[in-house]
Amino acid sequence: VGSSNGMNNWIYSSTGNMPYGTVIKENSNRYLAAYHKWYNNQAFYYFAGSTNSYNWNDMALIRQPHGEDITFIIDGGRYKAYARMNVPPAIRTIGYMESTDFRNWSNLVEVLKPDALDGLDNQFYSISVVKGNYGTFGFLNVFNTGTDLVSVQLVFSENGEDNWQRLNGRQEILTKKNGVQCLYGIASVIGDEVWIATISSKFNHSENNRGNQFYYTELYKI
């Protein structure tokens, strides 16, 4: 699905063999994607490229298994990726790795994990980051295993790599509306604004109260 401004007037098209993951348009002739695949109950990270956003070819595979969700940004000639360290029953935490060519990646290093203030219930599902004039802000998708709900918190790092700070008193940065129970945020910079597209649901993470409901997308703006 495409839009000339990233906000409205979306047009649906055939996706060919598009990966299930995070996509960035690097320039007019190059699209990049980071995604995961499952083999034998383990998740592996792949990196793919395309010249038209429809037909994709894999460029790299990390052979060490990690978690599922992965996002990335392009920052000063480096590709910075943020990915889940391990699959459950391990606690969900966020790791960081980088590359200069989108093929060869540094080791995934844990940079964000729940602490004593989070308690035993909060886990870090995934993170979507944007770079601003003063550093990098992350929209951290927090899964509470006790309530079975997901919400979004705001974090900050000067270099976008480590020393992440929890902001806003660890409160939800995106207000849930109209009965939403689980909210995942994916952020992009459009002009001088941050737009956050969500994966929203009116049922819980385990989906045991889903019924015939669907996930849907909302747009938030900062």
Side-chain angles (χ1 to χ4, degrees):
V1 60
S3 166
S4 61
N5 59 13
M7 295 176 281
N8 49 38
N9 299 321
W10 293 91
I11 298 174
Y12 288 84
S13 304
S14 172
T15 57
N17 64 334
M18 182 177 177
Y20 180 82
T22 302
V23 177
I24 287 181
K25 182 180 181 180
E26 186 171 32
N27 55 51
S28 59
N29 297 309
R30 180 170 155 107
Y31 297 79
L32 298 173
Y35 67 106
H36 73 271
K37 287 183 180 180
W38 281 91
Y39 292 102
N40 295 325
N41 296 317
Q42 294 180 314
F44 297 85
Y45 290 128
Y46 285 75
F47 302 88
S50 172
T51 58
N52 58 15
S53 79
Y54 299 103
N55 305 110
W56 293 82
N57 294 295
D58 285 334
M59 300 167 58
L61 157 66
I62 295 180
R63 297 186 179 276
Q64 179 181 357
H66 288 291
E68 293 181 274
D69 303 274
I70 180 172
T71 64
F72 72 98
I73 61 171
I74 304 172
D75 181 13
R78 288 189 296 166
Y79 304 97
K80 297 182 174 181
Y82 307 86
R84 192 186 301 170
M85 291 297 298
N86 298 293
V87 298
I91 295 176
R92 297 168 178 85
T93 64
I94 304 298
Y96 170 82
M97 58 184 169
E98 64 180 48
S99 171
T100 58
D101 59 7
F102 211 65
R103 295 177 182 272
N104 300 287
W105 291 84
S106 62
N107 293 330
L108 189 64
V109 177
E110 188 175 72
V111 293
L112 257 173
K113 62 181 181 179
D115 59 21
L117 293 179
D118 289 298
L120 299 177
D121 292 337
N122 280 344
Q123 299 187 16
F124 297 162
Y125 214 88
S126 59
I127 188 173
S128 175
V129 307
V130 296
K131 184 179 179 183
N133 294 331
Y134 305 102
T136 300
F137 291 89
F139 294 83
L140 182 65
N141 299 312
V142 179
F143 172 41
N144 187 299
T145 58
T147 63
D148 203 25
L149 305 179
V150 179
S151 59
V152 181
Q153 296 182 16
L154 190 65
V155 296
F156 173 80
S157 167
E158 288 189 2
N159 59 15
E161 301 169 18
D162 51 21
N163 297 319
W164 289 91
Q165 305 172 41
R166 308 283 292 279
L167 304 182
N168 195 41
R170 308 191 184 200
Q171 300 301 306
E172 297 182 18
I173 192 66
L174 302 182
T175 303
K176 294 176 181 175
K177 303 175 181 179
N178 302 320
V180 167
Q181 295 188 32
C182 289
L183 183 68
Y184 307 78
I186 304 96
S188 295
V189 176
I190 302 178
D192 60 354
E193 298 172 325
V194 177
W195 285 78
I196 303 100
T198 72
I199 302 169
S200 299
S201 74
K202 295 184 179 180
F203 45 87
N204 57 27
H205 175 267
S206 64
E207 301 185 356
N208 58 22
N209 61 340
R210 177 170 180 171
N212 59 356
Q213 300 179 87
F214 293 92
Y215 291 92
Y216 59 96
T217 296
E218 302 169 292
L219 282 177
Y220 290 72
K221 180 179 67 175
I222 298 176

